[in-house]
Amino acid sequence: DARVTQTPRHKVTEMGQEVTMRCQPILGHNTVFWYRQTMMQGLELLAYFRNRAPLDDSGMPKDRFSAEMPDATLATLKIQPSEPRDSAVYFCASGYRLAAMNTEAFFGQGTRLTVV
Amino acid sequence: QQQVKQSPQSLIVQKGGISIINCAYENTAFDYFPWYQQFPGKGPALLIAIRPDVSEKKEGRFTISFNKSAKQFSLHIMDSQPGDSATYFCAASMTSRGLTFGQGTILTVHP
């Protein structure tokens, strides 16, 4: 049963601490997305990668957020330092893009982050 | 600015009824329009998707209607069931881009 796996599922941290969220995309997928979901803003695209290369991270606050793909089986999203306004559910999604086709995105279960 | 506007915010339907959710977009470069279903505590799951060269797509009880000239598309859920109660998101994207989501519609189907 292929699925996107995200860890941790829940994280409570104090303001100013570093937070790292991890994502294992579906094996064989070449595109990874990071989204953030809040009641006020809904689902927002933070960044996405294709073949491990970052294509767009314009949705991320550059001063505190960073996203990487150390290898094809791991994507990470880091927040340093974390702030209460970062509290949200962070979703990773993966997909496989062929040529000029759009990428169907499969979402993980999300990481619920609470910054106190 | 890329935007997708979704309505209504919430919808209550009786079992067996038709649920209709509407979305409008601004960017004519969008060429892929999926609908996602999300249950509490879960990630969004792709329900059905359409491309602008087609005016309608049906999969089981779910139908997307697409009006390119009006820049609108809608999801119809026929014979709505209590198990369909969830939050539904429309989305749009351009080739090689991530998805831009609507604000979501909370659907409640009463038995």
Side-chain angles (χ1 to χ4, degrees):
Chain A
D1 183 23
R3 63 180 68 184
V4 175
T5 303
Q6 290 186 247
T7 56
R9 290 293 313 279
H10 303 273
K11 176 72 176 180
V12 180
T13 191
E14 292 184 348
M15 181 174 61
Q17 296 298 306
E18 177 178 301
V19 175
T20 298
M21 290 169 271
R22 293 177 173 79
C23 168
Q24 180 177 353
I26 293 173
L27 187 64
H29 281 186
N30 65 354
T31 307
V32 172
F33 306 89
W34 283 104
Y35 287 90
R36 175 171 63 184
Q37 186 173 35
T38 61
M39 288 296 294
M40 292 300 296
Q41 300 298 325
L43 278 157
E44 304 173 278
L45 177 65
L46 297 176
Y48 71 99
F49 294 75
R50 180 153 296 129
N51 298 321
R52 295 176 55 200
L55 290 189
D56 186 357
D57 61 0
S58 59
M60 287 200 316
K62 297 292 191 302
D63 56 338
R64 300 183 300 107
F65 284 59
S66 62
E68 296 180 344
M69 278 202 74
D71 61 61
T73 65
L74 177 64
T76 62
L77 180 66
K78 291 185 181 181
I79 307 175
Q80 168 64 14
S82 57
E83 298 180 0
R85 59 178 169 155
D86 300 329
S87 297
V89 181
Y90 290 82
F91 286 105
C92 172
S94 73
Y96 186 76
R97 179 176 175 271
L98 284 173
M101 298 293 287
N102 297 92
T103 303
E104 179 178 328
F106 295 83
F107 282 74
Q109 300 269 49
T111 293
R112 180 175 295 277
L113 174 66
T114 303
V115 183
V116 298
Chain B
Q1 183 180 1
Q2 299 180 2
Q3 277 191 330
V4 178
K5 295 181 180 179
Q6 184 172 345
S7 63
Q9 284 187 312
S10 62
L11 180 62
I12 299 175
V13 175
Q14 291 297 122
K15 178 182 176 181
I18 302 174
S19 303
I20 301 175
I21 305 171
N22 301 298
C23 283
Y25 63 97
E26 298 175 358
N27 191 336
T28 55
F30 286 144
D31 58 4
Y32 176 64
F33 302 89
W35 284 88
Y36 279 79
Q37 179 188 56
Q38 186 178 29
F39 293 104
K42 305 291 186 182
L46 179 66
L47 199 57
I48 187 172
I50 198 168
R51 301 188 190 279
D53 53 348
V54 177
S55 62
E56 185 175 284
K57 183 175 181 180
K58 183 176 180 179
E59 290 185 1
R61 296 184 294 109
F62 301 92
T63 300
I64 299 179
S65 296
F66 186 82
N67 185 330
K68 188 174 181 178
S69 60
K71 293 187 286 185
Q72 295 175 346
F73 58 110
S74 60
L75 175 69
H76 295 232
I77 305 174
M78 311 299 288
D79 188 25
S80 299
Q81 299 297 312
D84 296 332
S85 297
T87 301
Y88 292 81
F89 293 93
C90 63
S93 74
M94 294 181 284
T95 302
S96 299
R97 297 285 193 270
L99 293 165
T100 298
F101 283 89
Q103 286 296 97
T105 296
I106 300 172
L107 172 65
T108 303
V109 181
H110 284 155

